[in-house]
Amino acid sequence: MASQHNKTSVAAISIFASGGMAAAKFAVGIAIGSLALISEALHSSIDLVATIITWAVVRVSDKPADDEHHYGHGKLESVSALGVTALLYVLAGGILVEAYSRLSEGTPPPTISAVPFVVLVLDIAVNLWRARALQRAARETKSQALAADALHFASDVMGSFAVIVGLILAGLGFWWGDAAAAAAVAVMIALLGLRMAGSTVQTLVDRAPEGAQEKATAAIRGVPGVIDVDRLRVRMVGATTFIDTIAKVPRTYPIDRVEEIKRSAQIAVDKAFGDADLTFTAVPVARNNETVRDRIMVIAHNSGLAVHHVTVHDLGAKLTVSIDLEVDADMQLEAAHDVANTLERNIQEEFGEDVEVDVHIEPLEPELPFGVDAAPERVQTIAAALTEYAAGGDIHDIHNVRVRNTDAGEIVNFHCRAAPSMSVIKVHEHVDAIERALRRAFPSVKRVISHAEPPRA
């Protein structure tokens, strides 16, 4: 991946830069006897170790999840940053001890020349360039390890300025200037470690990023079909934002519609966070605008029952419900009656004991047997009869007539047209009258399926 290549290349360049500048400062510091310069060289050496660790870690942290690391390898960056913080504190403590020793013993000041100033100015320029490059790469890749490395080099600039001040003081005759500058470097290192430790520990203990919960909640609530977000949790693993949410969806929605909502939610959080991994748990709930018929259909669906022709009448004091319940045609009456009674009880539990429920039991329509197309003459005869029965009514233009012969009888399909302003109930009544007339005239017709449509534009 491009981001992975960017992280590793920037980290690799930093290794060579850290090593070269650390060696130069250490050699000059030993030559002139400057504790401040040696301390800064040791600080750069720690940065070198940190950069090597960073370079190694970022090559692993972007690996995808596997059987042992279900959330990926991004936390390795946080662990490496915590290890570097510990090294910084060890270094800061050692420098402070040595600085105190020199101040208490009155150690002679270092030998002043132009060489250490040239090295330090060059070090400042290199560290500024590295800090900017690493910070830019850290923002692009959301790498905590690179961000920590960039902070190191930014602090090196302040440390180098402190060493310059110490050397100037020593050159002006203040013998304690170098040791004081070394102590200042140690304090800067300690403050840097404290800042790093704070952000790293927050990541390791899964503290949600500032504003991430509100941002993710708003993104998911904006998905059509989501009623509300009941719970949402956010955690960061490397550059990936892991989001775990429980969202409310209408209980009347079919499973495929709920799956569509989940996919839309994933797209929404990806857009909000860039790289997000969403765990979406849908909880079906009743909406305020659910009708009585909707609620009854949910009850039947939850029981795995096929129902149709659900009619509801409000008599003021009570509701009356009539339902056609389809069961296996071979089911014994006693078993079918038990199924109907269970459905009635479930409806009464939902609406109250005084609701009146009548369940009409009918055989589930079997799958039609294999059939063959009827002869063209038979199709023409059926089509002519349909046109005759529709003549003079609101249904017209009988077309696309098909007739098939099966063991169960003839199956007739046809299309027709009606006024676009006609209500569905009126269309159904007129078409139903045509279908009944056809079955009366042709007893061999087992079933008639019609499709009404508005006139052509």
Side-chain angles (χ1 to χ4, degrees), residues 107-453:
T107 302
T111 303
I112 305 300
S113 69
V115 175
F117 291 100
V118 172
V119 171
L120 287 169
V121 170
L122 181 61
D123 181 60
I124 289 173
V126 171
N127 283 331
L128 284 175
W129 173 81
R130 287 188 300 173
R132 290 186 63 184
L134 284 167
Q135 189 60 44
R136 185 164 53 249
R139 283 196 303 267
E140 292 174 356
T141 61
K142 297 183 180 179
S143 170
Q144 191 173 43
L146 286 184
D149 219 8
L151 195 59
H152 282 165
F153 296 134
S155 70
D156 279 354
V157 173
M158 299 302 297
S160 295
F161 275 119
V163 175
I164 290 174
V165 172
L167 291 176
I168 292 174
L169 289 173
L172 293 175
F174 298 96
W175 64 269
W176 46 264
D178 182 65
V185 171
V187 171
M188 290 180 188
I189 293 172
L191 292 176
L192 168 66
L194 182 63
R195 180 178 174 182
M196 282 182 56
S199 61
T200 303
V201 168
Q202 286 179 6
T203 300
L204 288 173
V205 298
D206 289 331
R207 178 177 178 178
E210 189 71 26
Q213 186 176 36
E214 294 78 8
K215 188 177 180 181
T217 301
I220 294 174
R221 277 185 177 150
V223 174
V226 173
I227 296 175
D228 198 6
V229 174
D230 196 35
R231 188 197 72 190
L232 188 139
R233 296 184 294 192
V234 182
R235 65 185 299 208
M236 290 294 297
V237 179
T240 304
T241 305
F242 284 86
I243 302 170
D244 177 4
T245 186
I246 296 177
K248 297 177 180 178
V249 299
R251 62 177 182 171
T252 54
Y253 279 6
I255 293 177
D256 56 349
R257 178 69 185 279
V258 175
E259 286 300 317
E260 181 183 341
I261 292 174
K262 290 181 180 180
R263 289 192 295 270
S264 299
Q266 178 66 63
I267 293 171
V269 296
D270 280 339
K271 184 177 180 180
F273 292 91
D275 182 12
D277 188 305
L278 176 65
T279 300
F280 187 102
T281 302
V283 177
V285 296
R287 290 182 295 181
N288 294 334
N289 62 348
E290 271 189 7
T291 65
V292 174
R293 185 178 288 102
D294 288 336
R295 294 163 68 182
I296 291 173
M297 295 301 292
V298 169
I299 293 170
H301 176 75
N302 291 341
S303 301
L305 301 178
V307 299
H308 62 276
H309 283 175
V310 178
T311 59
V312 181
H313 294 95
D314 187 353
L315 303 182
K318 65 178 179 178
L319 290 175
T320 64
V321 178
S322 300
I323 304 172
D324 284 358
L325 169 66
E326 295 183 351
V327 298
D328 191 329
D330 295 327
M331 180 181 289
Q332 294 182 352
L333 177 60
E334 184 177 8
H337 188 258
D338 288 341
V339 172
N341 281 343
T342 301
L343 177 59
E344 291 177 5
R345 286 196 302 269
N346 290 340
I347 293 174
Q348 288 171 341
E349 288 177 3
E350 175 78 12
F351 296 98
E353 291 293 333
D354 55 347
V355 64
E356 182 180 298
V357 184
D358 288 313
V359 177
H360 169 65
I361 302 173
E362 62 181 45
L364 186 66
E365 191 73 27
E367 292 189 10
L368 295 178
F370 177 77
V372 295
D373 289 333
E377 296 80 9
R378 181 63 172 175
V379 176
Q380 292 175 4
T381 301
I382 296 292
L386 289 169
T387 302
E388 178 186 346
Y389 303 144
D394 292 317
I395 302 300
H396 60 280
D397 189 14
I398 304 295
H399 60 285
N400 198 16
V401 179
R402 287 146 290 153
V403 181
R404 294 176 179 88
N405 293 319
T406 72
D407 292 339
E410 289 180 307
I411 308 298
V412 176
N413 297 73
F414 71 92
H415 288 199
C416 60
R417 300 189 188 279
S421 59
M422 187 181 296
S423 66
V424 173
I425 184 71
K426 288 295 183 183
V427 172
H428 177 75
E429 289 175 355
H430 288 297
V431 172
D432 193 44
I434 296 172
E435 294 174 359
R436 289 197 303 271
L438 184 68
R439 286 196 297 270
R440 285 195 300 268
F442 299 89
S444 60
V445 173
K446 167 65 176 177
R447 189 177 180 191
V448 182
I449 302 123
S450 61
H451 171 73
E453 53 196 16

